[in-house]
Amino acid sequence: MTPAELSRTVLHAVRRAVDAGELDVTVPERAVVAPPGPGGCGDYATNIALQLARPAGQPPYRVAEMLRPYLVGVDGVADVVLTGPGFLNISLGGAAPAALVEEIRSAGARYGYADGPDGRIVQLHCPYDLRATVVAEAAARILRSQGALVRATAEGFDPEWTAVLGVRTDAVGPAPADLPVNVRPVPAPADPLRLGRDAARWALLYPAAHDRPRIGAEHLAQRESNPLFRVRYAHARTRALTRNAADLGFEGRPGPVHGHDLLAVLGDHPRVLAAAADHRAPDRLARHLVAVADAALPFLTTVLPRGGEKPSAAHRARLALAEAAGTVLAGGLTLLGIDAPDHL
């Protein structure tokens, strides 16, 4: 079961409890599932019981107790444990890795995207500032991936920003008096254009909006200390593995596979995209891509057969997981307006 499917399963459990007369609440539109926090267990946890406790007029733990039976019997759910004030900790069955990889393969670069428009209309407006404009553009792209209708405008614009960084807005010029500036990150301390498109965009987007970005040659360094290099290198390595596997006569095929850390961050991608959209925070996506790369790089060394070893089902499953990681890295970089080259 994938995170998106698990979220729908949690909502279905709420709906069944309501239909059975155990809960008197309005079924919410979204149930957040995420890796368990401190004191949690299993593969994912949800705070849906805490969310429903007040409207239900029940303690959160009691709501969780009501929902647990409707989750335990679901195909793909191995166990549900209650912790803390009412968190539901969900352990998935053994097919989860293959299902997650298959979902990513099926969705491609749109993995984690909303199914369609969600009715939100968002206006982003930024001052005449390069970092603010880049952040607004990336935030708009992420919001659109989550179903929002977005218009990004700026109080001023320099054509060189488009020429070098490819940045654009929907409109430029003075805004109506009732349109406040709502994208105002800490400005860059120096001109980042000399870094080129990809390194400059990363330098402006990777820090949180309240942090001052560093504009230096470290963003161009081809070494592991550079987060952008690690992300792009991990992506390029996944593409190289696909080519090398083809030379050995096999392809990736989803199946049981070890790699819990990588599976966890890939499964968390839809939640990260939703949070980055809600908070207008492209930095959340950038940091998540670094986490994916850091989990992927050690795993990638295990994918291909060694010596006289012949390709097996395990190699095919590992290759499929590696390719899924490459898909997430490429899709995330694209949302940030950064290239994901196949060769590095």
Side-chain angles (χ1 to χ4, degrees), residues 36-130:
C41 59
D43 296 297
Y44 293 98
T46 178
N47 66 348
I48 190 70
L50 283 73
Q51 179 182 341
L52 297 178
R54 183 182 295 274
Q58 299 278 355
Y61 200 88
R62 176 56 185 149
V63 176
E65 288 179 324
M66 294 178 189
L67 295 177
R68 184 180 182 276
Y70 295 105
L71 289 169
V72 170
V74 174
D75 191 24
V77 174
D79 194 16
V80 180
V81 176
L82 275 59
T83 60
F87 291 102
L88 290 153
N89 296 262
I90 304 169
S91 296
L92 301 179
L100 173 61
V101 172
E102 188 57 54
E103 182 186 14
I104 296 173
R105 286 162 65 97
S106 176
R110 296 181 63 83
Y111 168 61
Y113 281 32
D115 294 333
D118 63 3
R120 283 182 295 171
I121 299 176
V122 180
Q123 169 70 61
L124 301 178
H125 189 59
C126 62
Y128 176 49
D129 174 73
L130 176 54

Side-chain angles (χ1 to χ4, degrees), residues 258-303:
H258 296 292
H260 185 270
D261 290 345
L262 180 54
L263 287 163
V265 290
L266 295 180
D268 204 30
H269 186 65
R271 183 194 65 80
V272 172
L273 284 182
D278 289 343
H279 294 276
R280 284 55 161 166
D283 60 284
R284 294 191 178 209
L285 173 57
R287 290 194 297 273
H288 173 67
L289 296 181
V290 175
V292 172
D294 288 346
L297 285 169
F299 174 80
L300 299 182
T301 63
T302 71
V303 171

Side-chain angles (χ1 to χ4, degrees), residues 40-230:
C41 59
D43 296 297
Y44 293 98
T46 178
N47 66 348
I48 190 70
L50 283 73
Q51 179 182 341
L52 297 178
R54 183 182 295 274
Q58 299 278 355
Y61 200 88
R62 176 56 185 149
V63 176
E65 288 179 324
M66 294 178 189
L67 295 177
R68 184 180 182 276
Y70 295 105
L71 289 169
V72 170
V74 174
D75 191 24
V77 174
D79 194 16
V80 180
V81 176
L82 275 59
T83 60
F87 291 102
L88 290 153
N89 296 262
I90 304 169
S91 296
L92 301 179
L100 173 61
V101 172
E102 188 57 54
E103 182 186 14
I104 296 173
R105 286 162 65 97
S106 176
R110 296 181 63 83
Y111 168 61
Y113 281 32
D115 294 333
D118 63 3
R120 283 182 295 171
I121 299 176
V122 180
Q123 169 70 61
L124 301 178
H125 189 59
C126 62
Y128 176 49
D129 174 73
L130 176 54
R131 187 187 184 200
T133 306
V134 171
V135 168
E137 184 206 48
R141 199 179 285 116
I142 296 170
L143 276 158
R144 291 179 184 121
S145 80
Q146 300 304 295
L149 179 63
V150 187
R151 188 168 187 263
T153 58
E155 293 184 341
F157 195 85
D158 188 330
E160 190 177 12
W161 299 351
T162 299
V164 179
L165 303 189
V167 64
R168 293 177 174 82
T169 58
D170 297 312
V172 179
D178 60 347
L179 185 59
V181 169
N182 57 7
V183 180
R184 194 189 292 275
V186 174
D191 185 359
L193 296 182
R194 58 189 173 83
L195 298 176
R197 173 173 174 158
D198 294 331
R201 291 184 73 102
W202 181 268
L204 298 174
L205 293 171
Y206 181 66
H210 58 268
D211 291 332
R212 185 175 298 277
R214 294 184 300 171
I215 307 300
E218 66 269 18
H219 297 294
L220 299 172
Q222 301 290 296
R223 54 175 180 260
E224 290 187 1
S225 59
N226 178 4
L228 175 59
F229 172 75
R230 296 205 304 277

